Amino acid sequence: MAPPTGRSDRPSRQPDQPHGVAQARGLFDREILGQAAIAAVVKLDPRVQVRNPVMFVVLVGSVVTLAETIAHPSTFTISITVWLVLTVLFANFAEAVAEGRGKAQADTLRRMRSETEARLVAADGTETRVAASELARGDVVVCEAGDLIPSDGEIIEGIASVDESAITGESAPVIRESGGDRSAVTGGTRVLSDRIVVRITAERGKTFLDRMIGLVEGADRRKTPNEIALTILLAALTLVFLPVVVALEPFGRFSGATVSVVVLVALLVCLIPTTIGALLSAIGIAGMDRLVQRNVLALSGRAVEAAGDVQTLLLDKTGTITLGNRMAATFTPVAGVDERRLAEAAQLASLADETPEGRSIVVLAKERFDVRERDLGADHVFVPFSATTRMSGLDMDGVQVRKGAAEAIRRWVTDQGGTVPDDLDGIVEGYARAGSTPLVVAEGPEVLGTIELKDVVKEGIRERFDQLRAVGIRTVMITGDNPLTAAAIAQEAGVDDFLAEATPEAKMELIKAEQAGGKLVAMTGDGTNDAPALAQADVGVAMNSGTTAAKEAGNMVDLDSNPTKLIDIVEVGKQLLITRGALTTFSIANDVAKYFAIIPALFVSTYPQLHALDIMRLHSAQSAVLSAVIFNALVIVALIPLALRGVRFRPAGASAILRRNVLLYGVGGVIVPFVFIKLIDLFLTATRWY
Amino acid sequence: MGFAWTLVALAVVLALAWRFLGSYLAAVYQGRLTFLGWVERPVYRLLGVEPDAEQSWQRYAGALIVFSGVAVLLTYLLIRVQGSLPLNPQHLGAVPPALSWNTAVSFVTNTNWQNYAGESTMSYLSQMAALTVQQFVSAAVGIAVAVALVRGFARRGSPTIGNFWVDLVRGVLYVLVPIAFLAGIVFVGQGAVQTLAGPAVVHNHLTGFTQTIARGPVGFMEAIKELGTNGGGFFNANGAHPFENPTGVTNLLSVILILCIPVALTYAFGKMVGSVRQGAALLAAMGVIFCAWLAFTTVAESQPNPAVTASHAVAQHHGNMEGKESRFGPQSSSLYNVASTQTSTGSVDASADSFTPMGGFGMLTGMMLGEVSPGGVGSGLYTILLFAIITVFIGGLMIGRTPEYLGKKIQSREVKLAALAVLVMPIVVVAFTAVAVSVHAGRGGPLNSGPHGFTEILYAFTSQANNNGSAFAGLSGNSAFYNVAGGIAMLLGRFAIIVPTLALAGALAAKQVVPAGLGTFRTDKPLFVGLLIGVILIVGGLTFFPAAALGPLVEQFSHGRLF
């Protein structure tokens, strides 16, 4: 019999279907939008703005144009000033919307925390009621059916079914018991039955719930390495455009033109990468949020980014690649035995076997030969599986039916004076080679044949591995099986490599070897013995059902405890970088059109010849400048959904992805503003703004 | 020889240079060649250098700065006291301080901007010991920086990037001296002057005039002038002077010498990082830009000059012949001048000031792109590698990976240094031009007013900040303002790029290598080449579009109207 697995076998969800913490909030919830609009104004505080060098320049620019407007008010200067302020507001708004989604989730969680009361057990066994927030590490509390578990801890006594839906969104209760890998409980979850004694393992204010609140709120959001690098590039671009624009004043004077400060500020704002500058932090927050929506808590943004870089995925066989349990696949009788007889005996031997393997034998017998569950006479005894006999079965009407490991049955049959058929060894070996587990069935001293128990590879998993291979990620299956079995399953599932008879040490070594070759490694784990490997891996995803040690060692926690999620995490990581890269490219490509709008406008009164550069044939110099500024502001709003949702990631080779994005955001980024600046100009003209 | 055949010959020779000179360069800088060890070793002893001791980037940069500082000082002193030194048959006096400063910086930075007329300012000793010596060593410094950066990519987890003194000495001994010597023989054989006998005095009995014809040690200086992408000629007329560039053969040879080392360095780069294809990709980007600019300028110069047409003064059957040598004509002149401005050479065989607005635009923008096609000796390679890092960063993000180039992750430190190094030049050009057009001393420089005058100033600072040295002419540069400001622009344009580049080399050398896979952005494919060209054009275009609009573009759209 396969040992019971510690993790649940919930069906994997569609990744885009939000649940759990991220209780289905639409991308643009009305309430969130309203709060974001207010937050956008609050964020005008220069102390907030200075953290974003690009938008800070816009803010300073709008102050300059405001001063100019007060000195020389005109429709033009007023319009420019208004649109520059709007540009900053739109950027703030984008960030606020991204944050707002997290805030709403955090509020729900916070309510859960504040309402909880704990039943503290003193050393002498007396109980006192204290607020959950008072609990310190090492305190012992007791929880009974209906109680909220006050803080994170480990069950030291008892067993209970626990409703973790508050955190995972999953309504089916889970079993938690003292000892072993299922002893961890999380604060904020509810005990449904029985009574447990819990030793608190979390420091005050550092519970899982607290961390979650901080995370979804983005309170301790730090810029990730790639984000920092990009910020530097954007700051450098801003820095270079400053002298370029300022120099236009003396250049103009030398050429006999007077250049208005307002137009220069407008040009500067149009040239510096405001689009990506405005959306950069929203992209980061939204990326984390997308993980939360998939019920994954990333404890650092760095880990999310690293997920995009992962080149090797270590995946546990059971639960990730195969369904949790083996299933009966075929009956192979020995020579001289009818297959139907074997099936009937196998069914009899499994009737009392409530394990998934046992059920699958009954189901297979019914499917193949329509063997139904029969009424057993009163005179029958079930023989349950035991570790010493390694067999199970049924004694009925003087007939003994057994199924079990080949060695066990062999001994049992020989002990009764029976002989083992010659072809049995061949069948058993054949199964092992194919990666299956053979169960031999015997009736009294007669061996009837073998049931093939097969690992069932999850549907669609092969395609996902193919996709991963296309983006250059190597998958390694980790299993405790022997190499023969492992090889067969690896081949069926389509993984690139496997580690058979894996021990925690072997796993650790594999990770270190991959990292020594410069690769980034991701893995999932749940047991305490996984902890070192989880800590060593660049991306370590701990299952929420796992031990506290595992959860502390990893840098992400999957609330659904679904190891297949690792693949989603990689995609979110990639999507995050692609979105940043695409919007940067778009932002810079936009500058071409803005130059063609503003430069002729700037000098056309001095050099009418420069009208030749006005390829958009804009209405007037002022409408040209204003159109460019309006476009520059509106494009931020237009791209907020893209920034929050992320650029669509299609698994493909690097070149294919790049070609597509260069075409879309690079070439598109050159063309789009020409069209829209012209349209805005037409609109301004038609509405007689100019 | 038809122009088409000239191009074919050039392409063939450069292809051979790429393959064989490239592989030779790699061998020299990897220390695999030692046949000149008997010269090298005494030099190291003299310098007190331990040739096997590798340097960190800080020490490498320190050595480079010290060496260049001493070079500026020695050059300055030598031309200041040339009047009291031998080999001065014309008894030329000391070069004035501001001009000496400008000239010393100019030759040490591989710029060779000349605010003087060589034949009437510099003694033979100054030309040889001060200027020609710098033409060798400044070129070797440029190659050394490029090689150090390449080592940064090639090495793994290394705290060092090579030894500056070894790279300098080997560059001069193994590369520059042998090739320049051979090329010098051809120049002299073709009729370039090479003498220490002083000017020739010719008395014309028919007219009764006595003419003094300047001569000097020209031929061999000419070879290193082109080979080291220096550009500083013996005569004021530079490559247009028949004593410097006597024939069509020397004209083509000049172009070959200008381009051969920058082109070959891409092969050496590929060889040193273990993939020649990587070098070929860079060469492809360089080649596309070079060919586009050559075609553009050649076509522009083959048109009649609109200003001349407007005056109805002369017929222009052969394109724009004003300011061109009839030995070369518009096409070969375009080739020479484009080659010179797309590298850091700056020598000319025709007057750039007399080019059509679009022809001048071609030369000006060639420099504005940062001189990467193929760029100066060494500087071309390291500059395009800086652009490659920016390209890989943006491109890498777009495929969803932390960007990497040649297996090295490009993170915030690399982006910071590369962005700094790339943006120094545009900032210097724009800032110095802005100052020059604002102050009285600057506005007094250009001979023309309006957009052409603006172009003259813009061109001067573009040329100096890029260490090109090509002069648009039409600007009286020998003033205190232009000498001092130009000197500063040249220093910034050289060392404010070299120091971050070496820091980058150090940062890269210390990194481990990420193995390439399917998810890696391939930098040896056309897509990368296209993107790299795009980034170079966008950066240059965005920073210089307004300035170019007020200069050559206005002129062009004026259709010959003069200001």
Side-chain angles (χ1 to χ4, degrees), chain A residues 294-588:
Chain A
R294 291 174 196 203
N295 263 359
V296 175
L297 292 187
L299 304 179
S300 81
R302 192 181 279 263
V304 183
E305 231 171 47
D309 288 348
V310 160
Q311 282 158 303
T312 307
L313 277 189
L314 304 191
L315 298 168
D316 279 329
K317 183 197 79 176
T318 311
T320 310
I321 295 171
T322 62
L323 295 175
N325 306 294
R326 283 173 259 222
M327 307 287 244
T330 53
F331 296 115
T332 313
V334 292
V337 176
D338 184 33
E339 194 183 342
R340 189 185 171 91
R341 189 176 158 217
L342 170 64
E344 281 173 354
Q347 190 242 18
L348 269 182
S350 307
L351 275 179
D353 186 350
E354 288 297 333
T355 63
E357 285 88 347
R359 305 310 312 155
S360 75
I361 295 171
V362 176
V363 169
L364 183 70
K366 186 181 169 203
E367 274 174 6
R368 297 271 289 113
F369 300 104
D370 207 23
V371 181
R372 301 198 168 272
E373 297 198 25
R374 359 175 193 181
D375 268 337
L376 301 172
D379 181 24
H380 72 270
V381 181
F382 286 118
V383 182
F385 177 84
S386 85
T388 45
T389 61
R390 292 167 67 211
M391 296 184 303
S392 65
L394 174 81
D395 292 349
M396 186 174 72
D397 304 331
V399 184
Q400 294 179 308
V401 190
R402 294 288 184 278
K403 67 177 199 298
E407 269 318 299
I409 296 288
R410 187 190 298 270
R411 200 174 331 109
W412 187 67
V413 168
T414 342
D415 286 352
Q416 295 175 82
T419 52
V420 177
D422 298 336
D423 53 346
L424 184 70
D425 281 351
I427 297 170
V428 166
E429 244 170 62
Y431 280 174
R433 236 193 316 279
S436 312
T437 309
L439 276 186
V440 179
V441 180
E443 200 176 303
E446 189 188 358
V447 173
L448 298 180
T450 312
I451 311 166
E452 180 186 17
L453 287 183
K454 253 181 115 164
D455 260 319
V456 181
V457 172
K458 280 187 180 172
E459 212 176 315
I461 199 85
R462 201 188 170 93
E463 287 69 33
R464 294 207 81 169
F465 291 152
D466 288 344
Q467 291 173 357
L468 287 173
R469 198 167 304 114
V471 296
I473 295 173
R474 209 166 74 92
T475 44
V476 182
M477 182 180 83
I478 308 288
T479 172
D481 292 342
N482 65 57
L484 267 183
T485 312
I489 298 167
Q491 205 196 352
E492 193 186 342
V495 292
D496 298 305
D497 203 353
F498 64 86
L499 179 68
E501 287 165 355
T503 58
E505 294 76 35
K507 218 164 161 178
M508 188 75 174
E509 225 131 84
L510 178 66
I511 294 175
K512 282 186 176 162
E514 292 283 321
Q515 286 174 335
K519 290 183 173 165
L520 263 61
V521 182
M523 68 167 284
T524 59
D526 57 358
T528 299
N529 59 11
D530 283 332
L534 279 172
Q536 178 72 28
D538 301 284
V539 178
V541 184
M543 299 296 105
N544 192 42
S545 60
T547 60
T548 315
K551 284 201 260 182
E552 274 171 6
N555 43 22
M556 292 193 198
V557 177
D558 178 17
L559 300 176
D560 290 344
S561 306
N562 170 12
T564 319
K565 204 84 77 61
L566 196 49
I567 301 171
D568 292 341
I569 295 171
V570 168
E571 288 188 0
V572 169
K574 286 196 175 296
Q575 211 185 16
L576 192 63
L577 295 189
I578 294 177
T579 309
R580 283 192 199 130
L583 290 185
T584 305
T585 309
F586 186 80
S587 196
I588 298 171

Side-chain angles (χ1 to χ4, degrees), chain A residues 25 135 167 283 299 304 371 547 574 610 672:
Chain A
R25 285 253 182 192
L135 289 175
I167 290 195
I283 294 170
L299 304 179
V304 183
V371 181
T547 60
K574 286 196 175 296
L610 284 181
V672 163

Side-chain angles (χ1 to χ4, degrees), chain B residues 160-350:
Chain B
T160 59
I161 56 171
N163 183 312
F164 170 72
W165 303 106
V166 174
D167 290 341
L168 174 73
V169 169
R170 292 180 73 86
V172 172
L173 279 186
Y174 285 83
V175 183
L176 298 171
V177 167
I179 302 177
F181 181 73
L182 293 176
I185 292 174
V186 179
F187 272 105
V188 175
Q190 286 287 311
V193 172
Q194 181 74 27
T195 178
L196 295 176
V201 179
V202 182
H203 184 73
N204 188 325
H205 294 282
L206 290 175
T207 58
F209 286 117
T210 301
Q211 195 183 1
T212 305
I213 299 172
R215 300 186 299 186
V218 179
F220 284 92
M221 182 182 184
E222 194 64 13
I224 187 62
K225 168 187 116 181
E226 311 292 21
L227 179 68
T229 61
N230 292 291
F234 189 93
F235 297 103
N236 192 28
N238 208 299
H241 197 296
F243 286 180
E244 281 199 18
N245 183 11
T247 65
V249 172
T250 55
N251 199 58
L252 176 59
L253 177 63
S254 297
V255 176
I256 291 170
L257 288 175
I258 288 172
L259 297 174
C260 69
I261 291 181
V263 163
L265 271 173
T266 62
Y267 185 92
F269 158 74
K271 195 90 181 153
M272 288 173 77
V273 299
S275 163
V276 172
R277 293 177 56 102
Q278 298 286 353
L282 294 187
L283 182 68
M286 293 171 166
V288 168
I289 297 177
F290 183 84
C291 291
W293 256 251
L294 177 62
F296 180 84
T297 311
T298 310
V299 169
E301 287 312 295
S302 302
Q303 314 293 322
N305 187 332
V308 177
T309 309
S311 72
H312 303 291
V314 261
Q316 303 179 78
H317 300 299
H318 302 286
N320 177 27
M321 278 302 289
E322 187 201 314
K324 303 243 173 17
E325 279 291 294
S326 53
R327 282 172 296 153
F328 308 131
Q331 294 167 333
S332 284
S333 300
S334 298
L335 173 62
Y336 188 106
N337 284 9
V338 166
S340 155
T341 46
Q342 305 251 323
T343 59
S344 78
T345 314
S347 56
V348 286
D349 73 350

